[in-house]
Amino acid sequence: MPYYRSVGDVPRKRHTQFRQPDGTLYAEELVGQEGFSSDSSLLYHRHAPTAILAAEEYAPPTVTRMPNLPLKPRHLRTHKLDGAGADPVLGRQYLLANDDVRIAYVLADRPSPLFRDATGDHCLYLEAGSLRVESPFGVLDAVAGDYVVIPTSTIHRLVPTGDEPTRLLAVEAAGHIGPPKRYLSVRGQFLEHAPYCERDVRGPDTPLLVDGEEVEVLVKHRRGWTKYVYANHPFDVVGWDGHMYPWAFSIHDFEPITGRIHQPPPVHQTFQGPNFVICSFVPRKVDYHPAAIPVPYNHHNVDSDEMLFYTGGNYEARRGSGIEQGSISLHPSGFTHGPQPGAAERSIGAEFFDELAVMVDTFRPLDLCDAAAACEDDGYAWTWARKP
């Protein structure tokens, strides 16, 4: 993250003696990116974080990928995947994927196991419900509209809270996710033209201090999955400080950048990852040139696939296409896409768009996963041929 936090008890100097009430040393754990050459945090455990009692190979949920053939735009209705509920990690239903990112959806009504993804960061978006993110850094509470970024290798547990199940879009990266670099100073501070800033970002603020023995942790790593039995609970941290920790940001705190004529998707960018970006489309004043056409023009992004998750309001450019709450559209590279027939004319004179959507643009083609076939609207590709 772009700024430093200190939570709980830490000594004044790093890597110096820091003792527990019984006189034994707290166990340091440095969690860092790119070896010792990038962001990190230093945690202080009551017990050694290296103590494991058992390890065995674990069979993860299977994910089958199929190329988008024939090449065409797709419409996925995620609410058709509703079932009896699941946990928010192992219950994810994967929709789209390539070697840089995997996108899944889950209706969660029970806690996940303790889990660590050692292959990349996760960015979770809560469509509905609420969620408690537990980790060695403490508790982070999230509600509908929140993004939650969980750094690589953070052991965590996701606990749905409230009376209703939690609807969750999960973006799993093969690398790190953070704010766009163009919005940060050389020292990592959000700049004045950024659409959000440090005041909008939340992180854990108190340690969990969980004591327990022999707990299971599932770890996804570069060669598969392993189930460990840890000698002590990993949430036994009394304090930590640094720049790397789970954090949350509400889409409702994203300040839209507008103009006299239609602004392109980069103004909506919220995060960047390895070979992909995440954007937020929020309610906003639209183009105010007297001859403006507020909806997007037809465009052909020759280098990227565009996935859009519709999570609220009315998306003017897609009216008449069957798009609804929880819909996902996929417009692939190689296909020119744009507003539905009649949308451009209808939008003239509009002053405000009440829409909420999360977009993921990738620079490698997205494959379709099993769950995509289970919820696809087969008629979507032909909706541009209809008369307005």
Side-chain angles (χ1 to χ4, degrees), residues 310-328:
Y310 303 85
T311 183
N314 299 300
Y315 202 76
E316 292 295 328
R318 293 284 168 264
R319 192 191 303 179
S321 63
I323 294 295
E324 60 194 11
Q325 178 72 27
S327 284
I328 285 179

Side-chain angles (χ1 to χ4, degrees), residues 252-332:
H252 303 298
D253 286 327
F254 185 88
E255 300 302 332
I257 298 170
T258 61
R260 293 183 73 222
I261 59 173
H262 187 79
Q263 299 297 294
V267 303
H268 306 288
Q269 187 181 351
T270 313
F271 307 103
Q272 65 180 43
N275 291 317
F276 71 89
V277 300
I278 300 175
C279 301
S280 302
F281 290 82
V282 301
R284 63 196 182 278
K285 181 179 177 62
V286 290
D287 320 338
Y288 38 90
H289 186 283
I293 301 175
V295 298
Y297 35 80
N298 297 313
H299 52 288
H300 180 185
N301 295 341
V302 298
D303 292 322
S304 60
D305 281 13
E306 175 190 289
M307 185 226 83
L308 203 58
F309 176 64
Y310 303 85
T311 183
N314 299 300
Y315 202 76
E316 292 295 328
R318 293 284 168 264
R319 192 191 303 179
S321 63
I323 294 295
E324 60 194 11
Q325 178 72 27
S327 284
I328 285 179
S329 64
L330 173 64
H331 298 143

Side-chain angles (χ1 to χ4, degrees), residues 72-311:
K72 63 177 183 177
R74 309 275 178 167
H75 172 207
L76 312 179
R77 289 188 162 116
T78 61
H79 289 193
K80 288 184 66 177
L81 300 173
D82 289 0
D87 86 62
V89 170
L90 298 181
R92 293 176 189 176
Q93 301 193 65
Y94 289 88
L95 299 164
L96 304 165
N98 60 26
D99 291 342
D100 303 311
V101 64
R102 302 200 309 179
I103 300 166
Y105 188 83
V106 62
L107 179 68
D109 64 355
R110 65 201 67 174
S112 76
L114 292 174
F115 173 66
R116 162 185 276 163
D117 189 339
T119 68
D121 294 358
H122 289 190
C123 181
L124 312 178
Y125 178 79
L126 273 69
E127 178 194 355
S130 56
L131 189 72
R132 185 173 72 246
V133 182
E134 301 175 348
S135 76
F137 299 90
V139 172
L140 184 60
D141 289 312
V143 297
D146 278 346
Y147 292 103
V148 178
V149 178
I150 302 175
T152 305
S153 277
T154 300
I155 297 177
H156 62 278
R157 188 169 79 121
L158 303 179
V159 183
T161 55
D163 298 328
E164 299 296 327
T166 297
R167 294 185 177 275
L168 193 68
L169 183 76
V171 180
E172 303 175 1
H176 304 306
I177 298 172
K181 290 184 178 179
R182 70 179 182 276
Y183 292 139
L184 302 176
S185 75
V186 294
R187 295 177 179 84
Q189 181 181 5
F190 280 102
L191 299 172
E192 280 294 298
H193 66 285
Y196 63 105
C197 73
E198 290 86 352
R199 296 185 187 184
D200 301 314
V201 171
R202 313 190 310 275
D205 54 15
T206 55
L208 263 173
L209 291 175
V210 175
D211 278 320
E213 297 181 348
E214 298 193 20
V215 294
E216 292 184 352
V217 177
L218 299 180
V219 177
K220 177 186 175 186
H221 49 88
R222 295 172 186 174
R223 290 292 182 263
W225 288 50
T226 295
K227 180 169 69 174
Y228 291 102
V229 177
Y230 275 70
N232 301 101
H233 202 290
F235 299 169
D236 64 342
V237 171
V238 298
W240 60 272
D241 72 335
H243 289 252
M244 185 176 170
Y245 47 85
W247 55 284
F249 164 70
S250 174
I251 195 171
H252 303 298
D253 286 327
F254 185 88
E255 300 302 332
I257 298 170
T258 61
R260 293 183 73 222
I261 59 173
H262 187 79
Q263 299 297 294
V267 303
H268 306 288
Q269 187 181 351
T270 313
F271 307 103
Q272 65 180 43
N275 291 317
F276 71 89
V277 300
I278 300 175
C279 301
S280 302
F281 290 82
V282 301
R284 63 196 182 278
K285 181 179 177 62
V286 290
D287 320 338
Y288 38 90
H289 186 283
I293 301 175
V295 298
Y297 35 80
N298 297 313
H299 52 288
H300 180 185
N301 295 341
V302 298
D303 292 322
S304 60
D305 281 13
E306 175 190 289
M307 185 226 83
L308 203 58
F309 176 64
Y310 303 85
T311 183

Side-chain angles (χ1 to χ4, degrees), residues 39-87:
D39 292 348
S40 66
S41 286
L42 188 59
L43 297 86
Y44 293 88
H45 291 264
R46 287 172 168 168
H47 307 282
T50 50
I52 58 172
L53 302 175
E56 63 181 54
E57 188 175 358
Y58 181 82
T62 57
V63 179
T64 302
R65 287 168 47 180
M66 302 158 286
N68 183 3
L69 291 175
L71 185 74
K72 63 177 183 177
R74 309 275 178 167
H75 172 207
L76 312 179
R77 289 188 162 116
T78 61
H79 289 193
K80 288 184 66 177
L81 300 173
D82 289 0
D87 86 62

